[in-house]
Amino acid sequence: MKYMLRTVMAAAVLGTMSLGAQAAEDRANVFYYSLNDTFVNALSADMRDSAEAAGLKLSEYDATDDLAKQLTQVQTALAQNKNPLIVNPVDALNGEAVLRNARRAKVPVIFFNRKPLDKVLSSYQDAWYVGTSADMAGEYQAQILIDYLSSHPQADKNGNGQIEYVLIKGEATHQDTQQRTSSFIRTMMNSGIAGEPLYTGNADWSYSKAVNMMRELLFTHKLSEIEAIICNNDAMALGVLNELQAHGYNNGSGNFIPLIGIDALPMAVEAVSRNQMIGTVFNDRRSIAEICVKIAKAYCEGTEITEDLVNLPINNRQIEVPYVKYTITK
Ligand code: BGC
């Protein structure tokens, strides 16, 4: 399938330009749900680098986690130009509203990281989604824990044959929260290692909410009862680590609770290499950014979007970037 946006844009531009003027630059509008989110912020740097390398100019918008603000930003951009939209929606429903606006304006929209519903995505032929196989991340976390337990049987502190763990989750409505959590639990169950959640709660991907959650948890539980802590992302794992260290745990002194995150943020990678966390899972933000840029660029140039272009399978205009386990306990 060829996308002829470039031709249409060029014709429109020529109509208003004098002969000999330069052709329009390739441009895209990028919308982030919140640049306060550590992972999304790091991804935005990759997006800028990828765009620069590909010769795509970006206009960037930060919705600061505000649904209405994001929709206004999208509508304002659509009123100004027909550049492809690259959108990290504030939530799945907002994704639907963004898609309706893009479809009305006949502008392509590439969603990433937060997934609108499948039926919404499939309702517009120029809507794409670039995300990850979130199931894989939960499965990798379970494997990291299982490997650790097999070489550290003393991690079952009370020797009752099961692992009492704490599970700290991301935003309840986010597909990554749901899939990472259920695949972690499923993989633990299938492994035959009995796991018992002592506590689960949503800290919404946030470092400071995870710190507060740990503080509250310590009103009702002792650290000596907790045999593992699993977090849906690294920002929350780092919040937990901060709190553990404030109580003399996970700092090399001997008191230790196996702790696992997801994303492979630089600080988490460092914590793993210092044996303060047992692992994380690399959420390949660089590839996510590159693929979004490649699709937007292809629309600008009117070229075909193929599996060769994105280097991954494409299913109904959806692309899943694989995760990679990061651990030193391998
Ligand atoms: C990342 C989280 C991030 C969230 C934002 C997830 O894929 O792992 O760190 O906060 O996306 O949507």
Side-chain angles (χ1 to χ4, degrees):
M1 198 189 337
K2 289 266 181 207
Y3 298 99
M4 304 318 272
L5 199 75
R6 170 69 164 243
T7 324
V8 176
M9 279 172 58
V13 172
L14 278 177
T16 59
M17 280 169 79
S18 58
L19 273 178
Q22 293 287 304
E25 299 172 305
D26 290 339
R27 286 193 153 273
N29 297 314
V30 189
F31 304 85
Y32 298 101
Y33 100 90
S34 170
L35 289 175
N36 272 333
D37 179 303
T38 320
F39 175 77
V40 170
N41 197 300
L43 198 158
S44 75
D46 290 323
M47 193 73 83
R48 279 190 291 279
D49 289 350
S50 307
E52 199 183 332
L56 181 75
K57 291 266 182 309
L58 299 181
S59 302
E60 296 177 279
Y61 301 84
D62 176 8
T64 61
D65 208 7
D66 179 336
L67 286 170
K69 183 169 175 181
Q70 185 169 65
L71 199 54
T72 307
Q73 289 173 332
V74 167
Q75 287 166 338
T76 309
L78 285 173
Q80 287 167 354
N81 56 61
K82 298 273 181 202
N83 301 331
L85 311 178
I86 302 178
V87 185
N88 169 218
V90 175
D91 74 11
L93 286 181
N94 211 42
E96 181 168 1
V98 167
L99 181 139
R100 267 190 267 114
N101 280 267
R103 189 174 49 206
R104 204 175 308 128
K106 298 194 171 50
V107 168
V109 54
I110 304 132
F111 293 102
F112 68 99
N113 176 264
R114 298 171 155 235
K115 188 177 169 188
L117 299 178
D118 284 323
K119 67 169 197 280
V120 172
L121 279 170
S122 61
S123 70
Y124 179 35
Q125 63 175 14
D126 292 316
W128 292 75
Y129 176 68
V130 184
T132 53
S133 2
D135 277 346
M136 204 190 246
E139 201 176 309
Y140 282 167
Q141 284 189 310
Q143 288 172 6
I144 292 171
L145 182 58
I146 292 162
D147 284 355
Y148 179 84
L149 296 174
S150 67
S151 53
H152 299 78
Q154 72 279 15
D156 177 12
K157 293 178 191 164
N158 58 6
N160 69 350
Q162 64 177 24
I163 289 301
E164 279 87 27
Y165 65 85
V166 167
L167 184 56
I168 301 199
K169 301 186 285 185
E171 284 167 296
T173 55
H174 197 297
Q175 83 284 342
D176 283 350
T177 299
Q178 295 155 3
Q179 291 178 38
R180 289 173 185 178
T181 301
S182 55
S183 62
F184 169 78
I185 294 172
R186 196 174 48 242
T187 312
M188 286 297 289
M189 274 168 53
N190 292 345
S191 76
I193 292 184
E196 178 66 20
L198 270 185
Y199 175 88
T200 63
N202 293 86
D204 300 340
W205 307 123
S206 146
Y207 176 98
S208 52
K209 286 192 186 176
V211 169
N212 291 337
M213 190 167 273
M214 281 305 289
R215 286 186 185 154
E216 280 192 18
L217 179 67
L218 291 180
F219 286 121
T220 48
H221 294 81
K222 293 197 187 86
L223 282 178
S224 56
E225 296 168 3
I226 303 174
E227 294 173 336
I229 305 181
I230 316 303
C231 300
N232 278 164
N233 81 347
D234 278 347
M236 299 186 296
L238 291 166
V240 168
L241 180 61
N242 182 71
E243 211 36 34
L244 291 181
Q245 291 183 331
H247 288 84
Y249 274 70
N250 293 39
N251 57 9
S253 65
N255 287 329
F256 187 74
I257 298 179
L259 171 65
I260 313 173
I262 293 176
D263 282 341
L265 292 179
M267 277 176 71
V269 167
E270 200 182 311
V272 174
S273 60
R274 291 188 176 164
N275 284 313
Q276 296 168 345
M277 287 172 58
I278 63 165
T280 178
V281 181
F282 177 51
N283 188 352
D284 185 357
R285 49 182 197 265
R286 175 85 204 182
S287 297
I288 296 171
E290 265 173 18
I291 295 171
C292 291
V293 164
K294 281 182 178 170
I295 298 175
K297 178 85 178 166
Y299 270 107
C300 294
E301 306 260 312
T303 54
E304 204 172 347
I305 300 159
T306 60
E307 296 192 343
D308 278 350
L309 176 78
V310 299
N311 240 322
L312 281 172
I314 301 180
N315 290 309
N316 301 321
R317 299 185 305 278
Q318 297 187 27
I319 297 155
E320 287 189 355
V321 174
Y323 288 92
V324 184
K325 255 193 267 183
Y326 186 89
T327 171
I328 50 166
T329 57
K330 266 175 219 155

